[in-house]
Amino acid sequence: MELFGHANKYLYTTKVMSRCYSLCANMAAALFIAITTACNSKSSANTEKGLYTDNPDSMAVAYYTMQANGQYNEYIGAMQSCDGMPSEYKNNIVSMLRHHNQDIKKEKLGVKRVAVLRSEMHNSDQLANVFLNVTYNDGSQEEVMVTLVHDNNIWRMQ
């Protein structure tokens, strides 16, 4: 038991969790960056604002920008994988996203620009892999893939 307690002390530190999130975000480019709090099943607030479009490219940019700007509730509302998840799970994802954003601001001075590189459509045009070029304020760049699914005529993150 003492071994597990000792391991947990180091496995769940803020730094380790942040690195785990960063790794998951890169590995899960097909799934994109995961979840956050207050998951409204199609984010009716965003639908009312006219955020949703039939264009997966513009939605991928909008979603990435939401996350980068700390709009976690809107971001979560756009995630199909968030539907039906418990509040505790969503709250943990919010914490991970906040931590990730803090790291990006600290290490790369934040996000400067997000642009579409290319898109690949799959499953009879019901799934889109959108490849984004993220430019950071320190001049560095990263390619990120956002997977979107066409869910009830709305492009949502998988």
Side-chain angles (χ1 to χ4, degrees), residues 63-75:
Y63 293 147
Y64 192 93
T65 302
M66 275 181 198
Q67 187 268 358
N69 290 334
Q71 297 171 295
Y72 304 123
N73 291 333
E74 293 87 349
Y75 183 80

Side-chain angles (χ1 to χ4, degrees), residues 119-136:
S119 299
E120 298 173 354
M121 301 301 291
H122 303 282
N123 295 348
S124 302
D125 292 340
Q126 296 300 300
L127 184 130
N129 289 329
V130 181
F131 295 84
L132 303 175
N133 180 42
V134 179
T135 303
Y136 298 100

